[in-house]
Amino acid sequence: MHLKKTLLSISILALFANTAFALSLSEVQTLSSNNNYQIKQYESLYESSKELKQSAFKSFLPNLSTSYSYTRLDEPPYQIVNGNKMIMGSNNNYQWNVTITQPIFTGFYLINKYKYAKYDEAFSKANLEVIRNQVITNAKIAYFNVLYNQKMLETRQLAVAQYESHLKDAQSFYKQGLIPKVDLLKSEVAYSNAKQELKQAYSNLTDAIAQLNQLLNEPIDKTHTFEQVADVVDLKTPLDSLYAQIDNRPDIKALSYAIQKANAQVGMVKSGYYPQLQLRANYNRNGQNLDMSNNPYSDNSIYSLNIIANWDVFDWGKTKNDVQAAKLQEIALQNELNNLKTQSKTQILNAYDQAQVAYHNISVAQTALAQANENYKLTNERYLNQLATSTDILDARALLTQAEANYYGAIYGYCIALEKLANAVGKTD
């Protein structure tokens, strides 16, 4: 029996291993963090926000613009003076203009625009961490699902071998007239069902690996060998200390920055209450030829310096409405943040309880598995001595199959519960 189980394990490794190394949990975290397309998407959004912040800062700096134009008139401009026609210009007119504009006062619009961009960068970074944490958590859960389904495939292979061995014993007993045909038929049906369950277990494992590969941005059908998890240990962290880490959750940070963005938006809208003041320096050159060196009618170079003030003194209360709308959006975000903090505590509590229950189930399932193994062994011996029926041994094997599923489900269920708890706290491990 031990030899058969060893051979079955070897066959699984041969089936699902064409790589030279075993994929570990830490490698799953690294690969998912570096390769996942969703993370790359939010990395691009973060980089975009950094560019926008730099752009907002440069709004404080002077702006230089230039233009060059050519105008052709059908006849030169003139003026009638005392009945005489006096030429005032030429048919060909070239003009070059250079302007430097420096904002002096914008009603605090530019400084709030920069604050908005700065908080948007922080928001994008926190949002990136939200997505990164979720992708890594999903990848780790997928990894544990692979390990679980791998164990299920092993147990189903062993079950098929045991059902096949039992069927051979039943056929021998039937030929000797020791059991009725109905017992033989039960054994044949159980063997057929076991083979179907084996095919389903293989399919489940294939699907689990495909799901993991998708999260790692690997080819869907790529195969791996997988490191088994180390011995699990009980969760010792006090619940209150987990609650205390809520403010470090990236989604809470992101929403906090969203509130600060909304506050900056209020400041930007309020700028409509104030006058706008800017300094403008201008150089203008014009003439009759391309380089504008010839202009017999006026000075071909003109310099000017202007201070320009604009103020919308009455807009029917539009600015007031816009400011109030922006304030209400900020209040809405603050309420959303308060709600998220409450939900976060509930998520942590649920994940914490699930982890504790799952850990308790491991020892219970381990005991049940040992008992089911012993029960199957004794029942098989009794059957070989014709002290038990086919129904007895088939029931014993079914109990063993269920015990195996419960045991591995408890182990990997606990690992998954810990990952969900880490994610609820805002971490990836």
Side-chain angles (χ1 to χ4, degrees), residues 82-99:
N82 297 324
N84 297 317
K85 184 177 181 182
M86 181 179 292
I87 301 299
M88 306 295 296
S90 65
N91 300 74
N92 298 311
N93 296 275
Y94 297 86
Q95 188 176 60
W96 177 43
N97 186 72
V98 178
T99 302

Side-chain angles (χ1 to χ4, degrees), residues 88-134:
M88 306 295 296
S90 65
N91 300 74
N92 298 311
N93 296 275
Y94 297 86
Q95 188 176 60
W96 177 43
N97 186 72
V98 178
T99 302
I100 299 176
T101 305
Q102 172 64 57
I104 299 175
F105 180 69
T106 61
F108 309 106
Y109 177 85
L110 290 182
I111 191 169
N112 281 292
K113 179 182 178 182
Y114 178 72
K115 286 181 179 179
Y116 183 94
K118 181 178 69 172
Y119 293 137
D120 185 59
E121 179 191 10
F123 169 82
S124 297
K125 184 178 181 180
N127 217 23
L128 170 61
E129 290 308 305
V130 172
I131 299 301
R132 190 189 304 278
N133 285 3
Q134 191 57 61

Side-chain angles (χ1 to χ4, degrees), residues 216-346:
L216 302 183
N217 193 22
E218 299 274 12
I220 291 297
D221 57 350
K222 182 176 180 178
T223 57
H224 311 269
T225 56
F226 299 92
E227 277 189 10
Q228 293 299 314
V229 297
D231 292 339
V232 296
V233 294
D234 194 8
L235 179 64
K236 301 294 185 181
T237 309
L239 187 58
D240 288 341
S241 70
L242 298 178
Y243 287 152
Q245 301 180 55
I246 281 180
D247 288 339
N248 292 324
R249 279 179 49 141
D251 55 346
I252 289 180
K253 286 183 178 180
L255 197 47
S256 298
Y257 289 127
I259 292 172
Q260 292 176 302
K261 282 173 56 181
N263 183 263
Q265 181 69 35
V266 172
M268 291 167 65
V269 177
K270 278 185 175 180
S271 66
Y273 288 136
Y274 302 96
Q276 311 289 310
L277 192 66
Q278 65 177 354
L279 178 67
R280 180 176 296 174
N282 188 75
Y283 170 72
N284 183 271
R285 184 178 177 87
N286 56 78
Q288 296 178 333
N289 52 352
L290 284 174
D291 63 359
M292 295 155 288
S293 59
N294 181 24
N295 188 350
Y297 302 101
S298 66
D299 188 356
N300 67 340
S301 295
I302 301 175
Y303 299 88
S304 63
L305 185 65
N306 303 311
I307 295 179
I308 303 171
N310 295 303
W311 195 358
D312 294 333
V313 295
F314 182 70
D315 62 358
W316 300 95
K318 178 180 178 300
T319 300
K320 179 182 178 181
N321 297 140
D322 292 341
V323 169
Q324 187 62 19
K327 286 182 176 179
L328 289 172
Q329 290 177 357
E330 182 181 358
I331 292 172
L333 288 171
Q334 184 62 59
N335 288 325
E336 184 180 352
L337 176 60
N338 294 336
N339 183 57
L340 178 58
K341 288 183 177 181
T342 301
Q343 288 182 340
S344 298
K345 288 187 176 181
T346 303

